[in-house]
Amino acid sequence: MPLPGDRSYPVLVGRDVAVDLATHLPGAGVRAGRAAVVTQEGIPLSVDPGVDHRVFTIPDGESAKTLSTLEGLCRSFAEWGLTRGDVVVGVGGGVVTDVAGFAAASYHRGVPVVHVATTLLAQVDAAIGGKTGVNLPEGKNLVGAFWQPSLVLCDTAALDTLPEREMRCGLGEVAKYHFLGGPAPEERALDDLSLDQRVARCVEIKAAVVAADEREGGRRAILNYGHTLGHAIETTGRYDLRHGEAVAIGLVYAAELGRALGRIDADRVAEHRRIVEGYDLPTRLPDGADADELLAVMARDKKALDGLTFVLDGVLDSGPDGASRGHGVEVVSDVDSEMVRSVLETVR
Ligand code: GLY
């Protein structure tokens, strides 16, 4: 993950990469006295950091992403006497990397953190790029910090036993990367890659976006492709859909909206549908979805500073030789609400 100064860090992807955590730590410049391993019950991976360590278990599920979990964790760190000369190692999915990362960012005003990502969602998204935080009753991720890890290990062997619905959680993000990353002519499209290669390619795409805009001043927002409607579907709390499934519907919707706005053509919309269906993810809103409610939630989206805001695909300007440079996504603000509403009908 390239970052300015000496803050770049390795992201290692592959089967059993976590087995060698003890050798990867010094390799990544982490010279810790002790390690606080933060994980959850049921995470199918235990790690050996090669130094004196203690395991701290936080509760399961998104509902564990709270200030009280954070307080409990930091108090346990204090009881054990964790110092800035030590390291926090988060082992798990996005909840663990968000909470462990935020605890590391804030305890003693900052302790190094390493993420061992065990779910597809964490490997292609949550563990990469330094976003950490917890939820409030008023909204998700409302309290947090940017705190870059020193090392990320994406152990793809952990995916063998990942429950199918957890897998679908990450596949929606993987589908998103099909539209963010190129490919450059000499690269193979994500379709042609094995799962391990695909995870590695998603990490590369995310790393390039974060390197250009670490603190989300602009370009990083493109990582939210498919998320405006996706988040709205999740926020209503009415539908039995995982994050990746909601994002999948949001991707098809964003393509249809892009087409309605004249930014892309029918073939490109069909490409979105093909990719999403290829991951066996939904392309349609759940039965009875309420357009008024979805519109109201999208209008409250914390990224919607200037009217209804979406990340949308479009044809890039042609180069000096007049040849098209393909497609790319960008943030589009102030989209007409009647258009937003009528395009919802294309995904019913
Ligand atoms: N998950 C979006 C981001 O890391 O910016």
Side-chain angles (χ1 to χ4, degrees):
M1 166 80 236
L3 286 171
D6 60 358
R7 293 183 306 119
S8 298
Y9 53 89
V11 180
L12 306 180
V13 179
R15 293 190 71 80
D16 300 320
V17 283
V19 172
D20 295 325
L21 174 64
T23 48
H24 294 314
L25 285 175
V30 181
R31 306 203 191 282
R34 298 195 296 171
V37 177
V38 179
T39 190
Q40 290 169 314
E41 296 286 351
I43 298 290
L45 195 67
S46 57
V47 294
D48 177 4
V51 290
D52 181 20
H53 62 281
R54 183 176 287 190
V55 176
F56 299 86
T57 305
I58 61 169
D60 273 341
E62 181 75 18
S63 57
K65 258 181 70 172
T66 61
L67 285 168
S68 84
T69 303
L70 181 80
E71 181 185 357
L73 196 53
C74 290
R75 289 184 65 179
S76 304
F77 290 171
E79 268 170 39
W80 191 46
L82 193 77
T83 73
R84 277 195 203 145
D86 300 323
V87 65
V88 173
V89 181
V91 182
V95 170
V96 169
T97 60
D98 280 6
V99 172
F102 191 31
S106 37
Y107 179 80
H108 275 214
R109 299 195 181 86
V111 178
V113 65
V114 166
H115 295 312
V116 179
T118 62
T119 65
L120 184 61
L121 183 71
Q123 295 181 358
V124 299
D125 188 28
I128 315 292
K131 278 192 182 176
T132 72
V134 296
N135 303 330
L136 294 180
E138 288 73 15
K140 284 182 67 170
N141 299 320
L142 285 187
V143 185
F146 288 100
W147 189 247
Q148 297 292 347
S150 303
L151 165 71
V152 181
L153 301 179
C154 299
D155 193 328
T156 50
L159 304 181
D160 294 350
T161 51
L162 195 66
E164 194 194 327
R165 292 208 81 190
E166 284 299 321
M167 198 72 183
R168 290 164 75 75
C169 235
L171 285 175
E173 297 290 344
V174 175
K176 171 192 82 176
Y177 286 111
H178 282 254
F179 303 99
L180 301 191
E186 71 280 5
E187 288 168 355
R188 284 184 295 162
L190 273 165
D191 305 71
D192 303 334
L193 302 179
S194 68
L195 182 61
D196 284 22
Q197 292 170 327
R198 217 175 275 220
V199 170
R201 180 72 189 122
C202 292
V203 169
E204 277 172 9
I205 296 168
K206 179 158 185 181
V209 174
V210 174
D213 176 23
E214 187 184 352
R215 294 198 164 228
E216 203 163 12
R219 180 127 187 100
R220 185 165 179 163
I222 68 165
L223 294 170
N224 291 317
Y225 191 41
H227 284 58
T228 309
L229 179 61
H231 276 154
I233 292 169
E234 287 182 274
T235 303
T236 65
R238 282 173 192 253
Y239 312 108
D240 181 26
L241 289 172
R242 302 310 304 259
H243 175 72
E245 295 169 321
V247 167
I249 300 165
L251 286 171
V252 174
Y253 175 75
E256 292 284 4
L257 189 58
R259 180 186 181 191
L261 288 165
R263 300 172 57 88
I264 57 173
D265 62 17
D267 286 350
R268 185 69 172 165
V269 177
E271 177 71 356
H272 281 72
R273 290 185 179 275
R274 182 184 75 76
I275 297 294
V276 169
E277 282 165 2
Y279 287 111
D280 201 20
L281 293 169
T283 57
R284 296 187 174 281
L285 288 168
D287 286 346
D290 182 343
D292 288 335
E293 182 182 35
L294 291 171
L295 226 76
V297 179
M298 287 192 278
R300 286 202 306 269
D301 190 301
K302 63 177 181 291
K303 299 201 168 62
L305 300 176
D306 192 11
L308 280 160
T309 300
F310 292 85
V311 179
L312 295 176
D313 197 14
V315 178
L316 296 171
D317 293 339
S318 44
D321 56 356
S324 166
R325 289 189 285 144
H327 288 87
V329 301
E330 63 180 340
V331 177
V332 179
S333 301
D334 216 6
V335 181
D336 176 60
S337 61
E338 279 318 304
M339 165 107 47
V340 171
R341 178 189 298 277
S342 67
V343 174
L344 277 174
E345 299 309 312
T346 67
V347 290
R348 279 205 194 270

